[in-house]
Amino acid sequence: MNTLSLALVFVATVAVLSWPLGRWLHWTLQPASEDSPAERLLRLVLGSGCARPGGWRNYVIALLVFNAGMAAISWLVLTWQHHLPLNPDGMGPVKPSLVFHTVVSFVTNTNLQHYSGEATFSHLSQLTLMWLQFTSAASGIAAFAALARGLSGNRNFGNFHRDTARILILFLIPLAVVWALAFSLAGVPMTLEGSASATTLEGAVQTIARGPVAAFLAIKQLGTNGGGFFGPNSTHPFENPGALANFMSLVAIPLIPMACVWTFGRILGRPSHARVVSAVMFAFLALKIVATVVPESSPASALKELPVIQSANLEGKELRLGATTGPLWAVLTTSTSNGSVGAMHGSLNPLSLLGPFAGLWLNSTFGGAGVGMINFFLFMILAVFVAGLMVGRTPEYLGRKVEAREMTLAAAAFLVHPFLILGGTALFCATSMGEATIANPGARGFSEILYEFSSAASNNGSGLEGLSDNTDAWNIATAIVMLLGRYLPIILPLAIAGSLAAKQPVALSSGTLRTDTPTFGLMVFAVILFLGALTFFPAALLGPVLEHLSL
Amino acid sequence: MTSLRLLLASILLCGFAYTAGILGFARKLVPERASGSLVLDARGKPIGSRLLAQSFSSARYFHPRPSACDFNARAAAGSNLSPAHPKLAERAADLIARHAASPARPIPADLVTASGSGLDPDITTEAALYQAERVARARGLDPGLVRKAVEDVHRPLMGRFGGPRLVNVLELNLALDRISR
Amino acid sequence: MKSRSSLLDPHLLKGALVPSLRKLDPRNQWGNPVMFTVYLGAIVCTALLLRSAGLFEIQLVAWLWFTVLFANFAEALAESRGKAQADALRSMRVTTPARKYEDGAERPVAAADLRPGDLVVCEAGDAIPADGEIVEGIASVDESAITGESAPVIRESGGDRSAVTGGTRVLSDRILIRVTCEPGKSFLDRMIALVEGGERQKTPNERALGVLLVSLTLVFLLVTFSLPAFTGFLIRQGLGGSSPDLGSLVALLVCLIPTTIGGLVSAIGISGIDRLTRHNVLATSGRAVEAAGDVDVLLLDKTGTITLGNRQASEFIPAPGVTPLELAEAAQLASLADGTPEGRSIVVLAKQLFDLRARELAEPHARFVPFTAETRMSGVDLDSPDGKRSIRKGAAEAVKRHVEFHGGTVPAEVARDVDRIAGQGGTPLVVIDGSRVMGSIFLKDIVKGGIRERFAKLREMGIRTVMITGDNPRTAAAIAAEAGVDDFMAEATPEDKMRRIRKEQEAGHLVAMTGDGTNDAPALAQADVGVAMNTGTQAAREAGNMVDLDSDPTKLIDIVEIGKQLLMTRGALTTFSLANDVAKYFAILPALFAGIGAVSGKGPLAALDVMDLHSPQSAILSAVIFNALIIVALIPLALKGVDYRPMNAAALLRRNLLIYGLGGVVVPFPCIKLIDLSLGALHLV
């Protein structure tokens, strides 16, 4: 079996695992009983405020307030880490723009890192960031649950606090425990001790940074967070010691986004619709995998003339993780808004960058935990609009008419992404803010800037890490992009769902555009492909394609 | 108010309870791995971590892959150079010279490419065997003995599931020191 | 109104030229953001001519303006067809003085001074001065000016045929009319406004589509104007080449934004209403046309829509001890003087079956008894040598009462026959001679030819048909089965209709219905698409959102198809417009980026020039020309609507996706190449 089919079989395996997980998540979000002992305990701890149902506005406000609280607490810890406990390595104060950037990055589930964890943050700071990885993932899943409820025609969007608490307690923490235990068994460190000092066989001193990595790693991979404990993320042997940890990580990355699709179908009561959505997402994933694994099997071009035996491009890759891990990981992590890396994207072959770029640009196949499905919903609104017209009906989605108000909201949400990416890249390309920070010249340098903004806007967090991005300009610009790229695509779709839920449903007939047929899947596929390609084609040409053709 | 309560509850659960649980489990069941898979010398002082590459430049030792961070385990990093970047060729040229590679005796790619972490502890069996002769000469050992040491240490990538065989450089060099002594 | 002008009547084409220039007014352009963007681009490029005006720049500017003009032209052409009709209507306005009737005397007043409630007199030869209702008299009226139908129609006071329309002409008799509308708000005025498009507002779906098109335009603005920053960066990185100039960027922008649909969208909307008008249906708003596309329940009146208006005798079923001939003879005698279609069909059947010729019955021997609501029977009393005969035919119930009143009984066999006829969807008539029951006549409802197939197609489109009839449930069930409707309502009252519409709407259906009577008005208003028959009452015409001038209830099906066609045309052209961008990218981007990264000659990205175009300038120009010409090429499609065939949604989507999606990707490649070759051959680049 070659590496490509291995990758595809792997994805199919995760897909199978995601099915029961989707049931589990559905059970978490839609409890059968409102008055179980667990619910009573929840009300006792959180107060009666967690039992109050509400519309989409209440839900959004609660989400924003909670996220603001997360930001405030973590900002305090990160800023004052040098005065706080659990700092065995004596980490000093961190510059304000980096703290701001890091807080925004983790609150928005992006986990773009302009620092090396082991050289910057105390264990307490790292654990705070770990807490954010839990709560930001839970926030995204909660928003998704609210959207699905609204689309199912329920004007009660649920209660954000109750959802978040249930997601954390019944879903994320149990999953994270399983993964964290497996990671510790696989060799990932889990300690609150500071660095160990070793004297190497040749007599040099090597300071070995350590920390509570296993616990951190589990939620990093599961919650589509991707923020690494160490600078080089999951290429670091302590975050990815070998085949078992690597396998567990690769499974964890797409697991919850895949499960969310099944949950979506369950909340809507339309499992066949979820199957079509899933099929479209898998088709994109498979395309991206092929488009990345294949070009990455060609060797590094700089070494072509030299007496080197090359079977693949090994720069930036770990031998213990295997040659396919890099490109496969690159696709999974960018497709799911995770952002952890199993090989340095900065050293991928130019054409191999197109797959990850596509993942960042589309950001919906499968997308982040919860939010990926929300983004996909936006594409579906656009698809049903055009497709609905083509079957001679005014467009509708799940039996509710899509009219000017919904289109305006969808169009605004849809514009956010290209605006942030192309606008940001143009700004940094035109000024020294970008040019002074690139690590590679020419088209690759352009790709670095483009990638940074794409990653920030899609709340991904991976990067072409050669970029010297710990500057005030980068920290502030990408923080703004992350905030807009996170909250607008949550608020606007919820507003659409609110507007749809208030409408009288339209009956189904054979003249209706059904959303559970292969034809509809094809339509959505085409819409995503076209809108994505038309928006980003020129940028792709000037980055990866230009670099590839110049080789 | 509810938000505040939820914030506090989540800190207690995700921050404290979860961390403490995993910490307790790891310390109890896998204390050695939990503290970083350290390799200790006879006096119990750390030599390094089995999981992390360390620098070897003497001819007497097998060399690991080049490191973009110079094997700094407190600031690990990859080169992040594009595979077309001329610096890659420059670095490779240096290493080719050090390993005395030539078109007749081309060098395995892992010895001239840096890993993403800069701390990749392994090299391929081919890369180890490529260096065996030099090590044997420097130590005055029989090349066959050195090659056997490589084969004793190497293990498949995916353990029981097979895959290409890799050599942990630190383990190999430790084994070599034991043989020489 | 029935204008037979062909789609691209040269006269109309010429007429649309001037308005398309007049539409260059920025206030006009502002209403369409996509074309406004092109308009601005054209202005910018024209200004750039001041700096450098080579052959390329001049051609580019010219084609940008052509793009704007072509879109204007499409709109003007769609409007001009309406204008021509409006002019014809306007000429019908009554200018002669009306004869106002006050206190028993007539007084001439101007038609424009008539107010609701005024009474006017019209005699043969007079034009009816205003919309109104006949309060006295009966007249034949020539309504051809509005309906195009040359046969005069009868209008009479009372009942459902009392409405008259201003502008039509009385051919015979004298009627007194009560004016029902304010001056300037008559049916004729509304029609003029409608066909002219003067009151045209964007429909809900048009607005939603507009939002989509604006957002695409914004995306492409972003894509286009971020390019100089990108290329500038690469050039500073030492890759060589040059940043695209403003003219080329405008060209790229114009090619990418959805100008095809943007330029044609209003033409599509106008022509949708226009197509209805050609079917002699007037819609009060574009919204109604869109709603027609969504309709999934049709409430159809049985009579006239599903069956021919008249029932026909199809069988004589004699009572025991009566020969068929005897029955036929009696039936024929009873029907000789019966002028109704049913009566005539009995005479015809008697002749067909038994060759019974209609006999002359001399007046002294025969006395005809007409149908009255009281007896519910008709027939003849004969004084023959054999004695007096009293022959009657009538509804089974009435006859039974009559017979029993005279001490007789209806044989059980006849009663069974009557039941059987009703069960088969027929109407039974029983014939008696004195108190002797002769037998029954099978009056059959004739289902229109082809209607069953039509309903099957509707079903495939997802539209359910419900037959509304006053018949009893058994008769209704039989006809429903024969016609192939999905459901029926028997013994339906107007209230039942209303309830049914509400029920369907609550279940999420969109309902269309036709109606003509005043008591239909509430239901017409409640239905999503209510088509009032022009022959109907004023109240009905006011309540519906469409008026069918032909008063043909079958038209409802055409209306639904036109609605769907309108929406499909929008969807298809949007898809086509976007799909075209692929080829335009492949034409323009290699041209813009050709110099970047070039060591000598062409740069690496020139490899993307899959069409192998003559030169960068030719490539840009070819794409712009294609972009402009495709608008013209698609005007007929926009006006006619895309080809519509009834099929289910998935099949329809696949078909349109293939034609307009895949077609839209493929078609531009050879076209652009061809334009490029022509430009080269003509030495224009």
Side-chain angles (χ1 to χ4, degrees):
Chain A
M1 209 184 319
N2 63 25
T3 51
L4 189 59
S5 34
L6 198 68
L8 295 176
V9 166
F10 167 80
V11 169
T13 315
V14 186
V16 171
L17 283 176
S18 71
W19 173 253
L21 197 67
R23 294 187 66 140
W24 180 3
L25 182 56
H26 178 249
W27 167 80
T28 305
L29 295 171
Q30 306 284 82
S33 158
E34 297 286 322
D35 207 40
S36 62
E39 283 292 301
R40 281 200 294 273
L41 183 67
L42 206 60
R43 281 201 287 277
L44 194 70
V45 175
L46 297 184
S48 59
C50 77
R52 227 171 285 132
W56 70 270
R57 281 194 188 84
N58 292 342
Y59 207 94
V60 164
I61 291 169
L63 184 146
L64 293 178
V65 168
F66 181 70
N67 279 216
M70 284 157 54
I73 293 172
S74 50
W75 182 81
L76 287 174
V77 173
L78 263 53
T79 305
W80 303 103
Q81 67 164 354
H82 45 291
H83 297 309
L84 293 171
L86 283 183
N87 188 5
D89 290 323
M91 298 294 180
V94 179
K95 80 171 169 181
S97 80
L98 182 60
V99 171
F100 171 63
H101 178 270
T102 305
V103 166
V104 168
S105 181
F106 277 73
V107 169
T108 57
N109 199 250
T110 311
N111 315 59
L112 190 63
Q113 293 165 296
H114 288 174
Y115 63 89
S116 274
E118 73 269 38
T120 313
F121 285 125
S122 70
H123 289 347
L124 185 67
S125 295
Q126 294 272 37
L127 288 175
T128 307
L129 296 177
M130 180 183 79
W131 164 66
L132 290 180
Q133 307 206 44
F134 273 105
T135 47
S136 68
S139 298
I141 298 174
F144 150 76
L147 179 89
R149 286 183 197 128
L151 294 178
S152 74
N154 197 342
R155 284 177 209 188
N156 171 12
F157 279 62
N159 181 294
F160 173 78
H161 300 111
R162 175 174 180 238
D163 282 343
T164 308
R166 289 185 65 98
I167 293 165
L168 284 173
I169 298 167
L170 298 174
F171 190 68
L172 286 179
I173 294 179
L175 275 176
V177 166
V178 173
W179 255 263
L181 296 185
F183 281 136
S184 342
L185 292 179
V188 176
M190 184 68 204
T191 174
L192 291 177
E193 289 173 86
S195 309
S197 183
T199 308
T200 67
L201 287 182
E202 290 194 340
V205 174
Q206 190 180 34
T207 309
I208 297 171
R210 300 176 294 183
V213 188
F216 190 96
L217 184 62
I219 189 60
K220 155 193 153 183
Q221 302 297 29
L222 284 165
T224 64
N225 292 289
F229 193 95
F230 298 97
N233 211 299
S234 278
T235 62
H236 194 289
F238 278 172
E239 286 200 54
N240 203 349
L244 175 61
N246 194 42
F247 178 77
M248 293 296 291
S249 291
L250 281 172
V251 169
I253 290 171
L255 195 55
I256 292 180
M258 281 179 183
C260 279
V261 182
W262 305 129
T263 309
F264 185 66
R266 284 182 176 273
I267 295 180
L268 293 181
R270 293 167 189 267
S272 49
H273 179 45
R275 278 198 288 278
V276 171
V277 172
S278 239
V280 174
M281 292 186 175
F282 274 111
F284 271 104
L285 190 64
L287 275 181
K288 285 182 280 189
I289 288 175
V290 173
T292 309
V293 170
V294 171
E296 196 51 24
S297 64
S298 49
S301 57
L303 308 182
K304 262 186 198 146
E305 309 294 318
L306 300 169
V308 178
I309 310 167
Q310 290 197 87
S311 60
N313 172 18
L314 284 182
E315 183 67 24
K317 294 196 186 58
E318 310 295 301
L319 292 179
R320 68 187 181 288
L321 308 181
T324 331
T325 290
L328 175 61
W329 192 306
V331 172
L332 289 176
T333 194
T334 49
S335 291
T336 60
S337 168
N338 183 295
S340 67
V341 297
M344 285 299 150
H345 292 192
S347 296
L348 291 178
N349 283 331
L351 272 194
S352 318
L353 287 177
L354 284 177
F357 263 128
L360 302 178
W361 291 336
L362 304 178
N363 199 24
S364 57
T365 60
F366 289 82
V371 290
M373 194 56 235
I374 299 180
N375 287 334
F376 194 88
F377 159 72
L378 281 177
F379 278 113
M380 283 201 289
I381 288 290
L382 298 179
V384 294
F385 190 83
V386 180
L389 287 179
M390 279 205 287
V391 302
R393 306 260 301 197
T394 59
E396 65 198 55
Y397 177 63
L398 302 182
R400 287 178 166 79
K401 288 282 170 210
V402 176
E403 290 166 304
R405 179 179 156 78
E406 291 76 35
M407 275 312 283
T408 311
L409 293 166
F414 170 69
L415 277 172
V416 170
H417 205 50
F419 177 78
L420 295 179
I421 295 174
L422 295 178
T425 308
L427 180 67
F428 272 59
C429 275
T431 60
S432 64
M433 293 187 287
E435 207 165 354
T437 54
I438 53 172
N440 288 278
R444 189 65 161 211
F446 171 71
S447 292
E448 287 176 5
I449 298 174
L450 181 65
Y451 197 104
E452 188 74 2
F453 275 107
S454 304
S455 175
S458 59
N459 294 143
N460 182 274
S462 61
L464 302 188
E465 287 297 351
L467 194 69
S468 314
D469 44 23
N470 186 12
T471 64
D472 287 347
W474 273 118
N475 284 338
I476 292 164
T478 48
I480 293 169
V481 168
M482 286 187 286
L483 284 172
L484 295 174
R486 171 73 169 179
Y487 294 107
L488 289 179
I490 284 180
I491 297 169
L492 295 171
L494 278 174
I496 298 175
S499 164
L500 288 176
K503 288 186 188 191
Q504 151 92 12
V506 182
L508 191 74
S509 77
S510 71
T512 315
L513 176 75
R514 295 178 64 106
T515 49
D516 55 359
T517 58
T519 310
F520 178 72
L522 182 70
M523 182 71 202
V524 179
F525 182 89
V527 163
I528 296 178
L529 188 69
F530 261 73
L531 290 181
L534 291 179
T535 310
F536 295 108
F537 185 63
L541 281 191
L542 292 176
V545 176
L546 176 61
E547 191 192 356
H548 173 75
L549 292 174
S550 311
L551 289 181
Chain B
M1 250 348 263
T2 318
S3 277
L4 202 60
R5 288 187 184 202
L6 182 59
L7 283 169
L8 293 177
S10 63
I11 289 173
L12 285 176
L13 276 171
C14 309
F16 289 89
Y18 166 74
T19 316
I22 306 299
L23 210 54
F25 170 89
R27 191 176 292 172
K28 190 97 182 145
L29 258 79
V30 282
E32 184 262 335
R33 285 177 228 178
S35 55
S37 308
L38 297 179
V39 179
L40 307 177
D41 65 9
R43 285 164 296 149
K45 280 210 63 185
I47 294 171
S49 166
R50 208 187 56 77
L51 292 177
L52 305 180
Q54 52 180 253
S55 171
F56 287 102
S57 51
S58 138
R60 294 167 42 83
Y61 285 116
F62 282 90
H63 294 178
R65 303 176 65 185
S67 167
C69 61
D70 198 21
F71 304 99
N72 183 347
R74 278 203 63 184
S79 73
N80 284 304
L81 292 177
S82 144
H85 202 287
K87 272 191 196 160
L88 279 191
E90 283 170 31
R91 185 185 64 203
D94 279 354
L95 288 160
I96 284 167
R98 200 195 300 174
H99 287 283
S102 66
R105 191 173 166 269
I107 188 169
D110 49 321
L111 285 180
V112 294
T113 52
S115 67
S117 57
L119 296 171
D120 194 354
D122 303 316
I123 53 175
T124 57
T125 308
E126 294 76 29
L129 294 176
Y130 188 85
Q131 305 179 47
E133 204 170 324
R134 181 199 76 224
V135 173
R137 208 177 322 114
R139 292 186 175 245
L141 288 173
D142 172 29
L145 205 60
V146 174
R147 268 196 286 275
K148 182 164 175 309
V150 170
E151 271 151 29
D152 285 344
V153 171
H154 79 175
R155 61 196 154 71
L157 176 68
M158 288 185 284
R160 263 172 297 163
F161 300 101
R165 285 164 184 274
L166 298 178
V167 178
N168 183 305
V169 179
L170 180 58
E171 277 180 26
L172 176 60
N173 284 335
L174 281 169
L176 214 54
D177 277 355
R178 279 195 295 273
I179 294 167
S180 299
R181 202 178 299 133
Chain C
M1 266 314 271
K2 258 187 191 151
S3 55
R4 306 274 177 227
S5 64
S6 86
L7 190 63
L8 298 172
D9 185 329
H11 179 70
L12 287 182
L13 289 177
K14 233 178 286 165
L17 285 178
V18 177
S20 46
L21 283 172
R22 210 176 292 138
K23 280 173 188 288
L24 286 176
D25 184 333
R27 279 167 301 179
N28 199 333
Q29 294 290 323
W30 176 242
N32 184 338
V34 177
M35 294 318 293
F36 187 70
T37 309
V38 182
Y39 182 74
L40 285 183
I43 292 175
V44 168
C45 286
T46 311
L48 287 177
L49 282 184
L50 297 173
R51 220 170 48 192
S52 89
L55 186 58
F56 168 72
E57 286 82 3
I58 292 171
Q59 287 186 82
L60 182 62
V61 167
W63 281 104
L64 290 178
W65 283 114
F66 278 139
T67 312
V68 178
L69 283 174
F70 289 160
N72 288 350
F73 179 73
E75 191 179 279
L77 189 61
E79 283 170 352
S80 71
R81 305 201 307 164
K83 279 218 180 71
Q85 289 166 331
D87 289 342
L89 288 173
R90 210 171 270 127
S91 68
M92 282 168 41
R93 280 205 181 121
V94 178
T95 46
T96 50
R99 296 157 62 181
K100 187 170 176 186
Y101 184 83
E102 260 176 336
D103 311 324
E106 286 178 26
R107 188 163 65 81
V109 294
D113 292 338
L114 291 172
R115 293 285 177 277
D118 289 351
L119 294 175
V120 290
V121 174
C122 284
E123 278 184 327
D126 287 347
I128 294 174
D131 292 359
E133 274 183 319
I134 303 179
V135 290
E136 198 182 298
I138 175 166
S140 60
V141 179
D142 172 14
E143 295 193 336
S144 61
I146 290 181
T147 63
E149 205 56 60
S150 55
V153 295
I154 302 294
R155 298 295 188 182
E156 59 186 321
S157 62
D160 288 346
R161 288 169 184 269
S162 60
V164 287
T165 310
T168 56
R169 199 162 283 276
V170 177
L171 292 180
S172 70
D173 303 287
R174 177 178 193 275
I175 45 176
L176 189 61
I177 301 166
R178 188 191 302 116
V179 176
T180 53
C181 76
E182 298 276 350
K185 288 184 182 166
S186 71
F187 186 63
L188 197 62
D189 292 316
R190 274 195 292 149
M191 267 175 61
I192 293 171
L194 266 169
V195 294
E196 247 184 350
E199 282 182 8
R200 213 179 91 80
Q201 284 181 326
K202 282 191 177 166
T203 62
N205 177 258
E206 235 174 346
R207 270 188 292 132
L209 178 63
V211 170
L212 177 68
L213 298 182
V214 167
S215 66
L216 288 170
T217 306
L218 288 174
V219 167
F220 289 125
L221 264 170
L222 201 62
V223 168
T224 309
F225 287 100
S226 60
L227 283 185
F230 298 172
T231 50
F233 173 87
L234 293 172
I235 292 162
R236 281 199 307 284
Q237 286 283 309
L239 286 182
S242 58
S243 277
D245 59 41
L246 190 52
S248 308
L249 287 177
V250 169
L252 176 63
L253 177 67
V254 167
C255 285
L256 291 178
I257 61 176
T259 49
T260 314
I261 178 69
L264 293 173
V265 70
S266 55
I268 294 171
I270 296 168
S271 65
I273 294 184
D274 185 56
R275 266 200 303 286
L276 270 185
T277 315
R278 280 155 187 277
H279 277 74
N280 269 357
V281 176
L282 294 181
T284 53
S285 69
R287 190 188 193 114
V289 188
E290 274 172 14
D294 284 345
V295 160
D296 56 357
V297 175
L298 294 187
L299 297 191
L300 299 169
D301 277 322
K302 182 196 80 175
T303 308
T305 313
I306 295 169
T307 61
L308 296 171
N310 313 318
R311 284 175 282 219
Q312 292 182 353
S314 66
E315 201 183 343
F316 295 119
I317 306 161
V322 180
T323 64
L325 183 66
E326 279 176 306
L327 171 61
E329 199 174 22
Q332 185 211 34
L333 285 170
S335 309
L336 275 178
D338 183 352
T340 63
E342 287 89 355
R344 261 178 273 140
S345 77
I346 293 172
V347 176
V348 169
L349 184 70
K351 186 182 169 226
Q352 278 173 353
L353 293 179
F354 302 103
D355 203 24
L356 285 175
R357 305 204 72 83
R359 282 160 295 181
E360 286 295 320
L361 289 175
E363 193 53 52
H365 302 293
R367 200 171 52 79
F368 295 107
V369 183
F371 178 89
T372 66
E374 203 181 320
T375 61
R376 291 170 65 207
M377 293 190 298
S378 65
V380 65
D381 287 334
L382 292 176
D383 280 330
S384 70
D386 323 334
K388 281 196 173 193
R389 288 175 73 186
S390 166
I391 305 173
R392 296 285 186 278
K393 69 173 201 295
E397 275 304 304
V399 171
K400 189 172 172 231
R401 229 180 317 121
H402 179 83
V403 169
E404 283 168 359
F405 183 76
H406 289 98
T409 52
V410 176
E413 289 81 355
V414 174
R416 216 167 35 237
D417 290 337
V418 164
D419 276 355
R420 183 177 62 82
I421 292 167
Q424 291 175 2
T427 307
L429 286 183
V430 178
V431 182
I432 49 173
D433 190 346
S435 59
R436 183 182 176 211
V437 178
M438 305 293 290
S440 44
I441 306 172
F442 194 140
L443 281 185
K444 198 174 178 185
D445 255 319
I446 305 299
V447 171
K448 282 185 176 176
I451 199 89
R452 201 185 166 86
E453 291 70 30
R454 199 121 192 222
F455 289 152
K457 279 186 179 175
L458 285 173
R459 201 167 303 121
E460 201 163 335
M461 289 155 60
I463 297 172
R464 219 149 35 85
T465 44
V466 180
M467 181 180 86
I468 311 284
T469 171
D471 292 341
N472 66 59
R474 291 181 60 198
T475 311
I479 297 172
E482 186 177 349
V485 292
D486 297 288
D487 196 2
F488 66 89
M489 285 175 72
E491 290 167 354
T493 62
E495 294 74 44
D496 291 339
K497 257 195 207 182
M498 184 73 180
R499 255 197 304 279
R500 177 68 182 242
I501 293 176
R502 288 237 172 87
K503 204 185 89 193
E504 296 284 359
Q505 286 175 335
E506 270 159 29
H509 296 285
L510 271 88
V511 183
M513 69 166 284
T514 60
D516 51 6
T518 298
N519 52 15
D520 281 335
L524 279 173
Q526 177 72 29
D528 299 283
V529 175
V531 184
M533 299 293 106
N534 191 41
T535 54
T537 59
Q538 191 65 23
R541 295 201 310 199
E542 299 265 328
N545 46 13
M546 293 189 192
V547 177
D548 178 15
L549 301 174
D550 293 343
S551 304
D552 170 11
T554 327
K555 206 73 86 50
L556 204 47
I557 299 171
D558 297 326
I559 293 172
V560 168
E561 291 192 351
I562 288 170
K564 286 194 176 296
Q565 208 183 19
L566 169 76
L567 295 171
M568 276 169 55
T569 309
R570 274 189 204 139
L573 289 187
T574 306
T575 308
F576 188 79
S577 201
L578 275 178
N580 274 194
D581 282 1
V582 176
K584 295 176 199 161
Y585 259 144
F586 275 96
I588 297 184
L589 289 185
L592 293 187
F593 299 156
I596 292 173
V599 180
S600 63
K602 283 182 180 172
L605 287 176
L608 289 161
D609 179 16
V610 289
M611 284 174 275
D612 191 23
L613 300 176
H614 180 267
S615 67
Q617 290 191 337
S618 169
I620 293 171
L621 211 49
S622 301
V624 172
I625 293 174
F626 171 79
N627 191 54
L629 291 181
I630 196 74
I631 296 179
V632 180
L634 291 175
I635 289 177
L637 187 73
L639 297 187
K640 251 188 346 205
V642 300
D643 191 19
Y644 177 74
R645 288 195 204 130
M647 50 173 95
N648 71 46
L652 210 51
L653 179 58
R654 274 196 298 276
R655 184 166 172 272
N656 285 329
L657 212 49
L658 193 71
I659 298 177
Y660 299 99
L662 193 61
V665 174
V666 175
V667 165
F669 282 96
C671 291
I672 290 176
K673 177 71 185 170
L674 208 64
I675 296 170
D676 172 72
L677 289 174
S678 320
L679 287 176
L682 296 170
H683 300 288
L684 287 172
V685 283

